[in-house]
Amino acid sequence: VLEEERLVGLARFVAAKGREPRLVCLVPSIKCLYVCPLPFADETRAYSWPSPSTSPTESQISEAERLIDDLDLQWAAVRSGAKELLRPKTMVDPQRQRMYQCIKHRALHGSTPLPAADWRL
């Protein structure tokens, strides 16, 4: 019903017995509800940022634009002629690699102490 009416729900959520209740927002999705914690009024802070005393120069603006363009890997790949610069399937996840290293060591060497982490990870 929430999804059809484009509504969200508010609820109190207690993660475990004896824990404090949290105010959450229930966001409907296909066959599930996402639980998004919401802050109470005393958990938020208002910051006052001073306005900049000077405007950025044209060179600063162009450098900022160039930096943003360089961070966009899709366009960087197009400019360099590469198919894709970021290939998630070939990228190393250090935590996962360390976990696999530990599992392999336990399988082969039992309860001997784990080796030090590989410095390349």
Side-chain angles (χ1 to χ4, degrees), residues 11-69:
R12 283 179 33 179
F13 175 73
V14 180
K17 187 176 181 178
R19 302 276 308 264
E20 291 292 320
R22 297 275 317 190
L23 179 65
V24 295
C25 176
L26 302 174
V27 181
S29 183
I30 300 172
K31 296 184 181 181
C32 71
L33 287 173
Y34 288 107
V35 178
C36 303
L38 298 173
F40 284 105
D42 61 342
E43 296 176 332
T44 60
R45 292 186 178 101
Y47 293 103
S48 60
W49 300 101
S51 57
S53 57
T54 61
S55 297
T57 65
E58 285 298 320
S59 65
Q60 289 173 329
I61 292 172
S62 65
E63 285 298 313
E65 289 173 347
R66 189 180 64 76
L67 174 64
I68 292 169
D69 289 342

Side-chain angles (χ1 to χ4, degrees), residues 3-15:
E3 191 170 15
E4 293 169 1
E5 298 290 328
R6 298 180 57 89
L7 299 172
V8 296
L10 290 177
R12 283 179 33 179
F13 175 73
V14 180

